Amino acid sequence: MCKELDTNLNFITLDFEDGESEECLVTGLYEIEGKKYLSVVVGANEDVDLENDELEGYIYEYTDVNDEEFELIDIESDEEFDRIAGKIEAFEAAREE
């Protein structure tokens, strides 16, 4: 089961291990299998068509640290990533119908 959660985040900045940073559009916060997952799209701005443009996206496990902070955790397992991405895609497709 996939349930979308409310988030007050519109954009976040991801800081990568190589020192690079990317501003990302938050596309959803979901509860799946008892965990929270955040999906983001890199490079999205007002000129981007989210439906038709090919954009790079990420999914992270999301954990609240406290009321003001959260932590994003890489999904290490390809199987977990594919399962979670599939559930998010199915949820979004059903919502659009």
Side-chain angles (χ1 to χ4, degrees), residues 1-4 30 51 85-97:
M1 174 165 180
C2 180
K3 177 174 104 176
E4 188 167 26
Y30 306 91
E51 297 291 321
K87 289 186 179 200
I88 291 172
E89 287 174 12
F91 175 82
E92 292 298 334
R95 190 164 77 165
E96 290 176 6
E97 292 177 353

Side-chain angles (χ1 to χ4, degrees), residues 3-60:
K3 177 174 104 176
E4 188 167 26
L5 303 172
D6 289 332
T7 178
N8 60 355
L9 301 172
N10 294 319
F11 286 89
I12 62 171
T13 301
L14 297 179
D15 296 319
F16 297 102
E17 291 176 359
D18 64 2
E20 295 292 319
S21 296
E22 285 279 356
E23 186 167 306
C24 300
L25 172 67
V26 174
T27 56
L29 178 63
Y30 306 91
E31 184 174 338
I32 303 169
E33 301 172 359
K35 294 181 180 180
K36 294 178 186 176
Y37 294 91
L38 187 79
S39 62
V40 299
V41 173
V42 177
N45 58 43
E46 62 274 353
D47 298 326
V48 172
D49 181 352
L50 291 175
E51 297 291 321
N52 299 309
D53 291 346
E54 292 219 13
L55 301 169
E56 185 175 5
Y58 299 106
I59 300 171
Y60 294 96

